[in-house]
Amino acid sequence: ACKRKEEQQSLTEQQPAPKKPRLVFTDLQRRTLQAIFKETKRPSKEMQVTIARQLGLEPSTVGNFFMNARRRSMDKWKDDNEGGSKMCGLPPGGTVVHMSQMAQMGNQTNAMVGHCLGEDDL
């Protein structure tokens, strides 16, 4: 056990590799990725590669965006539903989305994707 501890100490004394700087998306990249996320929560690898190529990003960056966005949307869903379900009589965590809301959300999303992926913006 002592040897391992000594080995770990000698490893921590070495200079770690410098961290890569954090990537900040441009406004167009962010809006496009968000619009696509509203349509498709889990795009295929091929779709991620295409998105990355069109936006000038690494495919791994696009994959990470979708993974983080799914996590954020779950966290937001939990926050939104902590007390809101009492009105409809469902237990905490229950969600009701009316069909009229879904249709309205779909129209807004289609318009946003069309705008963000328009040829004049790329």
Side-chain angles (χ1 to χ4, degrees):
C2 292
K3 275 189 175 182
R4 282 189 185 168
K5 197 172 195 178
E6 288 171 10
E7 289 172 10
Q8 288 176 349
Q9 285 176 348
S10 66
L11 289 176
T12 56
E13 290 172 5
Q14 295 174 358
Q15 293 269 336
K19 278 178 85 173
K20 282 174 52 174
R22 181 172 177 244
L23 175 71
V24 179
F25 293 117
T26 65
D27 189 49
L28 175 63
Q29 290 170 334
R30 182 181 43 78
R31 285 187 295 125
T32 303
L33 288 166
Q34 287 173 342
I36 294 169
F37 177 74
K38 286 184 178 181
E39 286 290 316
T40 308
K41 302 286 189 245
R42 292 184 180 272
S44 66
K45 288 290 181 193
E46 294 81 17
M47 188 173 175
Q48 289 179 27
V49 168
T50 302
I51 293 166
R53 196 176 304 129
Q54 289 182 344
L55 296 178
L57 298 169
E58 292 292 323
S60 60
T61 303
V62 173
N64 287 339
F65 171 85
F66 282 96
M67 183 169 53
N68 292 333
R70 286 191 300 271
R71 179 58 180 256
R72 282 187 213 105
S73 71
M74 280 192 65
D75 290 346
K76 185 178 183 303
W77 182 81
K78 287 178 186 175
D79 291 346
D80 288 349
N81 288 308
E82 281 181 355
S85 61
K86 291 178 183 174
M87 292 185 295
C88 64
L90 291 175
T95 302
V96 174
V97 177
H98 298 283
M99 292 304 288
S100 61
Q101 290 173 313
M102 288 184 71
Q104 188 178 24
M105 288 168 31
N107 291 339
Q108 291 170 348
T109 303
N110 288 337
M112 183 182 285
V113 170
H115 170 75
C116 291
L117 294 179
E119 291 178 9
D120 55 328
D121 283 347
L122 294 178

